[in-house]
C-alpha cells in the first residue's frame, strides 16, 4: 500500500488511532483493517452490533456529546477517524435548526478538543452523494460546485469547511473523503440507509422491495473494503490535497442494482413496490475518482458481482441462518 | 431603476417588507430607501441608535431569538430583508459551536417561519469579504471556490446553502447578495467593524489609528447607497441567478484608505499604530461585479472621495458637533 510517493514509509504500524463511530458499519470494518495494519486502535461510540467481529482494541462506550469521555479518549491519539455526529439524514431534514444545535455543534466542538489534545491528523468521511447537489455534469470531480439539496448535505459541507479551517489556521492534517454509497459485510439491512443490504435482505426474506421514485436515479456504489483501503491511505497521505472523492466511478440505477441482486440470489421477477420520489434525492451521482487514484495510488478493486455475492453471503449467514446454502452456490457467471 | 428587463415593472410600491436588523447601519439606510420607494416597511430588531432618522414604519423591538415575535412580524409579509443573526464575527471565532447553537440555528429556524408565513422572497446579505477565503485570482467572481478562513465566513456560507435549499425545495425566491465592506452615514465608529468610520472618527478626535498587519491587505469598499440600491433591485429581480456579488470592484489597501481619509480631512501625517496581523484576514478581497451589473442593471455610482467626504461630514456632525466646520469646507480636488 505505501509504495506510493505521497504515502509515508512506515505506514500505520504503532500509530495511535481513534475511531469515532466504531460501532457502525464503516467503523467496524475500519477497526479490523487498522488492526491488521498494526495500528493501536481505540473505538468510540455506542456498542457494536457485532462485538465478536471487533479486533483487539480499547473500547470507549459513550455518546458523542460526552465531552469529558471524548477528552479522555483523545489523550495521546495521533490520528482520528471521524465517522459520526455531523448529522442523521432524516433528523437533519425534519429539524435542521435542531440538528445544528445538537449533532453539528458537537462535531465542531470535537475539533477544538482534537487541537487541545494535539491530534495530528483527522480523516473525515463526508458525503460524495449529497454535498454536490444536482450534478451539472457526470462524473463529478472535487471542483464541482457544492449546492446540496438536503440539510444533511449542507451540514456535511459545513463540517468540511470547519475541518479546512483547522488545516489552514492550525496546521492540522485534515483529509476529507467524499464517499459514495458503501456496501458490504456488517451493514445492517432495513435501517433506512444501505440500499444493497436492504434489497438483499428483502429478497432473501421474500418481502417486497420498496423503491422511491421510478428506480432510474443513478448512484455510485463502493465496496466497503475499497472505502477502508482509501481511508488507510488517507491516514498516511502527505500530498497537498485535503478533499478527495472516494467512489467506484461507475453509475448504476436502482433498477440495475435490483437486477444485479436478483442475479446473485437467483430471485429475478420478485415484487417491487414503487413509492413517490423524495425531494432530497438528486437524479444522479457518480464520482470522478481520478484525483484520488493519482494522489493515493488507490483503485477500487472489488468487482461488482463478487462484492454483491460476498455481501449476500454475509447477510444470509448473519441474518438468515436458514439460507446458508447460498454459501455453497456455484461460481458467478 | 426598474427599466431593466430582469426587474418587475411596478417595483416595490405597496409591497409589505420586513427588515430584520433594521436598527443597524445597513438596516436603517435600507428602511429609508424602501420608504422612498413606496414600500410598506416593518423594522425588526433592537432599538435604533438614530430613531429620528427612521422613516414612518411599524417597529418591532425584539430579539432575533424570539420566535413568537418573529411569527407575528412575518404575518402578511411579502419580502424579508435578512441582515442579522447569522453570526457575529468575534463570537463565531471564539466559540464556533456556540455560534451554531444560538445565532445560526435561529437564522435557519427563521426560514421555516418564513415558509409557514407564506413569505415570497428573502434578500440576504452574505459576506463577499469572507465566504471565498484566500482568493486564487482577483477580482473574485461568484463561481470562485468558497473556502472561508473564518468561522464567520463558514456560517455565512451555511446560511447561503440553507437559503438555496428553500429556493430549490419550496420555490421561495431567494437572493443572496455577497456584499463587500459597506461604509457611509449611520455606521457607528469604533465598533470593531467599519474601517472607514473608525479611521475618520480617530482622525477627527486626534486619536492614533490602529491597523492590523502592515496595512497592505486589500479590501473592496462600497458606499451604503450603492449597496441599498442593489438590495432594492434584488427585491424585484426576476432573473435566474440566486447569488450575486455586490462590491465596488475596486481594491484599496488599508494604507490607501488612510491616505484618502487624510486627504478628505486634511490630517495627513497623523499617527498609525501597527498591530499584529489577524489570522481571519485574507490578504486581498476584490469582488467581480460584472454579473450583478448585467443581471440587476446596477452600477456602483458613488465616487470614492465624495463618498468619504459625505461619511466624514456625517460623523463630524453626529459624533463631533464641534467639528461641523468640515461641512463648509471647499470642494474636493
Amino acid at each position: 500500500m505505501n509504495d506510493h510517493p505521497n504515502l509515508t514509509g512506515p505506514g500505520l504500524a504503532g500509530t495511535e488511532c481513534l475511531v469515532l463511530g466504531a460501532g457502525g458499519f464503516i467503523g467496524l470494518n475500519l477497526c479490523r483493517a487498522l488492526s491488521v495494519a498494526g495500528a493501536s486502535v481505540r473505538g468510540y461510540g455506542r456498542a457494536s452490533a457485532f462485538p465478536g467481529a471487533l479486533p483487539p482494541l480499547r473500547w470507549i462506550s459513550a455518546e458523542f456529546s460526552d465531552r469529558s469521555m471524548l477528552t479522555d479518549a483523545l489523550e495521546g491519539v495521533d490520528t482520528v477517524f471521524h465517522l459520526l455526529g455531523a448529522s442523521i439524514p432524516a433528523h437533519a431534514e425534519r429539524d435542521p435548526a435542531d440538528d445544528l444545535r445538537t449533532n453539528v455543534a458537537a462535531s465542531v466542538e470535537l475539533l477544538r478538543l482534537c487541537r487541545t489534545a494535539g491530534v495530528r491528523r483527522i480523516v473525515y468521511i463526508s458525503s460524495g452523494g449529497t454535498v454536490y447537489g444536482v450534478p451539472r455534469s457526470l462524473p463529478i470531480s472535487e471542483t464541482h460546485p457544492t449546492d446540496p439539496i438536503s440539510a444533511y448535505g449542507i451540514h456535511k459541507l459545513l463540517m468540511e469547511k470547519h475541518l479546512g479551517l483547522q488545516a489552514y489556521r492550525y496546521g492540522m492534517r485534515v483529509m476529507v473523503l467524499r464517499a459514495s454509497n458503501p456496501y458490504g459485510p456488517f451493514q445492517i439491512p432495513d435501517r433506512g440507509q444501505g440500499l444493497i443490504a436492504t434489497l438483499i435482505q428483502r429478497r432473501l426474506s421474500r418481502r417486497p422491495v420498496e423503491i422511491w421514485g421510478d428506480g432510474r436515479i443513478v448512484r455510485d456504489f463502493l465496496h466497503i473494503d475499497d472505502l477502508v483501503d482509501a481511508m488507510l491511505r488517507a491516514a498516511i497521505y502527505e500530498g497537498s490535497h485535503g478533499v478527495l472523492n472516494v467512489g467506484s466511478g461507475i453509475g448504476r440505477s436502482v433498477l440495475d442494482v435490483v437486477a444485479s441482486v436478483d442475479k446473485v440470489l437467483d430471485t429475478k421477477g420478485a415484487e417491487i413496490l414503487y413509492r413517490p420520489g423524495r425531494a432530497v434525492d438528486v437524479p444522479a451521482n457518480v464520482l470522478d475518482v481520478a484525483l484520488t487514484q493519482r494522489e493515493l495510488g488507490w483503485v477500487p478493486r472489488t468487482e461488482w458481482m463478487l462484492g454483491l455475492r460476498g455481501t449476500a453471503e454475509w447477510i444470509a449467514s448473519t441474518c438468515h441462518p436458514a439460507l446458508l446454502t447460498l454459501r455453497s452456490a456455484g461460481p458467478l457467471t
Side-chain angles (χ1 to χ4, degrees), chain A:
Chain A
M1 171 174 117
N2 41 3
D3 52 351
H4 190 275
N6 282 336
L7 308 184
T8 54
L12 286 161
T15 305
E16 202 65 45
C17 295
L18 175 65
V19 178
L20 298 171
F25 164 49
I26 300 174
L28 172 55
N29 281 279
L30 174 64
C31 286
R32 288 158 63 101
L34 283 171
S35 181
V36 170
S40 166
V41 187
R42 305 179 195 180
Y44 189 102
R46 296 182 188 171
S48 172
F50 309 101
L54 282 167
L57 84 176
R58 179 178 153 205
W59 186 265
I60 304 115
S61 180
E63 294 291 321
F64 185 47
S65 54
D66 188 332
R67 203 182 294 193
S68 103
M69 287 296 271
L70 257 181
T71 304
D72 244 34
L74 283 164
E75 205 185 309
V77 164
D78 183 77
T79 300
V80 168
F81 294 88
H82 183 10
L83 315 176
L84 54 64
S87 290
I88 298 146
H91 176 67
E93 289 314 307
R94 205 170 42 244
D95 192 344
D98 189 66
D99 189 57
L100 285 175
R101 277 190 290 263
T102 54
N103 299 314
V104 184
S107 207
V108 167
E109 179 68 20
L110 165 74
L111 303 183
R112 194 180 59 75
L113 299 180
C114 286
R115 248 178 20 240
T116 308
V119 167
R120 213 178 64 82
R121 185 187 293 257
I122 300 181
V123 177
Y124 178 72
I125 296 297
S126 183
S127 168
T130 64
V131 296
Y132 296 111
V134 179
R136 302 183 191 190
S137 61
L138 293 175
I140 304 168
S141 80
E142 289 84 352
T143 56
H144 185 284
T146 45
D147 292 314
I149 61 164
S150 64
Y152 175 75
I154 292 175
H155 294 176
K156 281 284 189 185
L157 187 64
L158 173 82
M159 277 307 299
E160 289 191 2
K161 301 300 180 189
H162 269 296
L163 283 156
L165 199 58
Q166 306 305 309
Y168 178 86
R169 191 81 72 75
Y170 307 103
M172 196 180 281
R173 191 95 207 155
V174 165
M175 288 302 295
V176 168
L177 301 182
R178 290 178 173 164
S180 67
N181 300 279
Y183 73 97
F186 302 110
Q187 187 169 38
I188 301 176
D190 273 324
R191 288 276 179 97
Q193 278 185 297
L195 172 71
I196 289 173
T198 300
L199 283 180
I200 292 173
Q201 162 90 332
R202 294 286 179 103
R203 287 307 201 211
L204 287 176
S205 57
R206 315 252 181 274
R207 280 187 296 152
V209 162
E210 284 176 312
I211 284 178
W212 283 270
D214 62 5
R216 288 173 209 273
I217 64 172
V218 168
R219 289 291 178 272
D220 180 322
F221 297 92
L222 182 70
H223 194 275
I224 184 67
D225 289 351
D226 291 319
L227 173 57
V228 165
D229 180 22
M231 294 174 78
L232 263 55
R233 288 166 185 265
I236 56 172
Y237 171 69
E238 297 292 343
S240 62
H241 289 268
V243 178
L244 293 172
N245 282 340
V246 182
S248 67
I250 297 168
R252 300 177 196 278
S253 75
V254 171
L255 290 178
D256 283 347
V257 175
V258 172
S260 294
V261 165
D262 280 339
K263 193 166 174 195
V264 164
L265 299 177
D266 198 23
T267 51
K268 57 190 167 293
E271 195 182 0
I272 296 176
L273 298 177
Y274 292 90
R275 307 291 186 204
R278 298 179 298 187
V280 296
D281 286 330
V282 295
N285 181 275
V286 185
L287 300 180
D288 181 339
V289 292
L291 181 67
T292 311
Q293 297 194 5
R294 196 172 71 231
E295 291 298 309
L296 300 184
W298 168 89
V299 279
R301 294 178 194 282
T302 310
E303 195 273 328
W304 172 241
M305 294 302 278
L306 282 175
L308 286 186
R309 155 140 250 128
T311 305
E313 287 174 350
W314 180 83
I315 291 175
S317 66
T318 309
C319 315
H320 292 266
L323 295 165
L324 263 171
T325 48
L326 193 80
R327 278 183 179 278
S328 54
L332 291 163
T333 51

